Amino acid sequence: MKFSRIFLNRLQNQPDAADTVVVIDVLRSFTTAAVALANGAQAIYPVAEISTAAALLDKMPQAVSVGAVVGGDPMPGFDFGNSPAQLMPVDLAGKTVVLSTAAGVRGLQRFRHARQLYAASLVCARATAEAIRAAGASEVCFVITGEWVDRDGDEDIACADYIESLLRGEQPAPAQFAQRVRDSDFGRRFTAGSWPNLRPADLELCAQPDLFGFAMPVQHDGGHLIIR
């Protein structure tokens, strides 16, 4: 199995990865998505554009909307912000979720034509590695979405390191990757006290390795992507 890394915000005319692509967004999109599935959501539609989200919500009036703008503030008019801790007590049994965020969702859209596509975060890292192994991947490309001009993205790099180590047959200590999530540039903002929509409870939830025993494969539903 061959491994590679792509940083979403450095892409410049790079060819699409064709085999298995793992788009990582630990803080917080794909932790939020994992919580939604754990709470019973039957499907998640990840969409990058507000207009696309609005069109989907018009077609599915019972759907739950979850989203945030760049920087992490809640999307105006949505049911929930991109906060896994806020979503944790919510019963979503049988519900459809429309998820619109700035980084992870954009990564899924960018690599939508991969043979196997996964949304991933630390809370479902081991399950993601197991799903990739079961699918018989020959090449795995990790897409790091959290690196920006003012963020090192190490929360996502740590998750990629953990999954890759598992796929190599190693037995890494999960705690070291959890600590890297907390110590990342973005992770420290959740405990700084100056970002009201970046809650410490979100950070603690996002930094729990293997909290959930399922992976999040991404499939196609008409012209949309869907996570089940």
Side-chain angles (χ1 to χ4, degrees):
M1 197 178 295
K2 296 181 180 179
F3 301 98
S4 61
R5 307 281 175 97
I6 286 178
F7 290 81
L8 183 63
N9 294 309
R10 299 186 200 176
L11 285 177
Q12 292 183 345
N13 300 318
Q14 295 187 37
D16 285 346
D19 186 19
T20 298
V21 174
V22 183
V23 180
I24 300 175
D25 191 335
V26 173
L27 293 172
R28 296 166 286 179
S29 295
F30 297 150
T31 303
T32 298
V35 168
L37 292 176
N39 287 1
Q42 65 176 0
I44 299 172
Y45 286 88
V47 295
E49 302 295 333
I50 301 302
S51 58
T52 306
L56 273 174
L57 291 167
D58 283 343
K59 293 178 181 178
M60 300 181 293
Q62 301 303 314
V64 175
S65 54
V66 177
V69 298
V70 174
D73 289 344
M75 189 78 71
F78 275 44
D79 297 316
F80 298 97
N82 183 23
S83 168
Q86 181 190 23
L87 210 59
M88 198 69 172
V90 179
D91 182 5
L92 295 173
K95 296 287 189 179
T96 296
V97 174
V98 175
L99 175 68
S100 182
T101 59
V105 168
R106 186 163 56 90
L108 293 181
Q109 297 293 341
R110 173 65 174 78
F111 294 95
R112 62 186 296 140
H113 298 300
R115 184 182 69 85
Q116 297 285 339
L117 181 63
Y118 296 90
S121 58
L122 198 63
V123 295
C124 54
R126 184 176 292 272
T128 303
E130 291 171 353
I132 291 169
R133 187 180 292 109
S138 59
E139 297 184 8
V140 180
C141 176
F142 297 101
V143 179
I144 308 302
T145 68
E147 186 208 44
W148 298 71
V149 292
D150 60 342
R151 290 168 45 181
D152 58 13
D154 197 50
E155 70 277 9
D156 293 344
I157 299 169
C159 184
D161 288 346
Y162 183 36
I163 296 172
E164 181 175 331
S165 180
L166 292 168
L167 287 170
R168 291 182 183 277
E170 300 167 0
Q171 295 299 323
Q176 64 178 302
F177 304 102
Q179 191 60 48
R180 284 173 59 186
V181 170
R182 297 185 184 95
D183 291 342
S184 66
D185 286 342
F186 198 33
R188 291 196 298 271
R189 294 185 190 180
F190 286 79
T191 56
S194 54
W195 303 78
N197 290 309
L198 301 182
R199 301 175 176 88
D202 281 342
L203 177 63
E204 288 310 306
L205 184 51
C206 292
Q208 292 189 47
D210 310 319
L211 180 63
F212 303 120
F214 55 81
M216 295 189 291
V218 183
Q219 301 167 336
H220 292 261
D221 179 24
H224 298 289
L225 298 179
I226 187 168
I227 304 171
R228 285 193 173 100

